[in-house]
Amino acid sequence: VNNSRFIGQDLIPDINLTAKLNLLNSIAVSKLYFSDPEETKFFTSEILSNIVSDLNSAKSSIEKKNNIHKKLIVLEGSDLMIFNLLHVFGFTNLKCLTDLYVNGTVSGNCYQMPSFASSVFIELKEDADKKMYVQLKYNGSSLLLCHPDNSLCDFTDFVNTVTSKTFDSSDKIPK
């Protein structure tokens, strides 16, 4: 009689199966929610606009040497919002996720569905010459948004990049 079922040995999850299921979930969520770039843009516009506004306020306060500026802004959201941001910034997409599932490898960025307690940090930084930069981090790792070899993004470049990914009144509302 095999008693291993009763002591839990058969209940240990297969890591490869779990990884494949997580990847399939990422593909399903991408297909369901983020396959249309205009919809992705539409659904992230509000949060991106607020981020740009907060960064502009902080930059202005720093430039005026006003010590009354926000040091930290905390936004809470779901794994879908983080995944949406990863899509809109080009750090994942349905094609790369499908390629990863089919081929087992992919070149470039291809983040899967965020795990529990994932985080995105957007940091405003100032160098010794008083030039302002923005650094984007996902789960503590720097993301290369503006340059392929540098995680610091010039403030104006960051704002232009984010603004180009936001919905405005001239855009057609997705159906």
Side-chain angles (χ1 to χ4, degrees):
V1 175
N2 181 354
N3 289 328
S4 65
R5 283 177 71 172
F6 301 105
I7 59 171
Q9 291 176 353
D10 288 344
L11 300 178
I12 297 172
D14 179 338
I15 299 300
N16 291 331
L17 178 60
T18 302
K20 284 183 180 179
L21 292 175
N22 286 337
L23 182 53
L24 283 172
N25 181 56
S26 296
I27 292 169
V29 169
S30 288
K31 186 162 179 52
L32 183 63
Y33 293 108
F34 310 123
S35 59
D36 181 348
E38 290 304 307
E39 283 183 11
T40 303
K41 183 178 181 180
F42 179 75
F43 289 118
T44 55
S45 288
E46 188 68 31
I47 191 168
L48 292 175
S49 295
N50 282 312
I51 288 167
V52 167
S53 176
D54 288 339
L55 287 171
N56 274 319
S57 294
K59 180 180 181 278
S60 178
S61 292
I62 291 167
E63 288 172 343
K64 293 176 184 174
K65 297 187 184 347
N66 178 355
N67 288 330
I68 308 171
H69 62 273
K70 297 174 184 176
K71 302 282 185 183
L72 174 68
I73 299 165
V74 177
L75 303 170
E76 58 124 356
S78 68
D79 51 354
L80 282 178
M81 180 51 73
I82 291 174
F83 207 37
N84 202 348
L85 289 173
L86 293 172
H87 273 82
V88 81
F89 284 130
F91 295 112
T92 195
N93 59 58
L94 181 58
K95 182 183 180 336
C96 78
L97 291 166
T98 305
D99 288 348
L100 184 60
Y101 183 76
V102 172
N103 304 323
T105 61
V106 67
S107 62
N109 294 313
C110 192
Y111 288 99
Q112 294 183 41
M113 188 76 180
S115 60
F116 182 74
S118 287
S119 61
V120 174
F121 285 88
I122 301 169
E123 300 177 64
L124 181 60
K125 298 183 174 223
E126 184 179 29
D127 69 9
D129 297 326
K130 305 292 182 198
K131 187 162 169 72
M132 303 298 279
Y133 296 92
V134 176
Q135 186 172 35
L136 192 63
K137 291 184 179 179
Y138 173 60
N139 290 336
S141 297
S142 294
L143 298 176
L144 305 176
L145 180 63
C146 295
H147 310 287
D149 57 348
N150 187 353
S151 67
L152 292 179
C153 191
D154 175 78
F155 184 84
T156 304
D157 290 347
F158 178 83
V159 169
N160 290 339
T161 298
V162 171
T163 303
S164 74
K165 296 175 183 306
T166 58
F167 181 84
D168 65 33
S169 58
S170 67
D171 291 325
K172 185 177 175 186
I173 297 176
K175 295 181 182 186

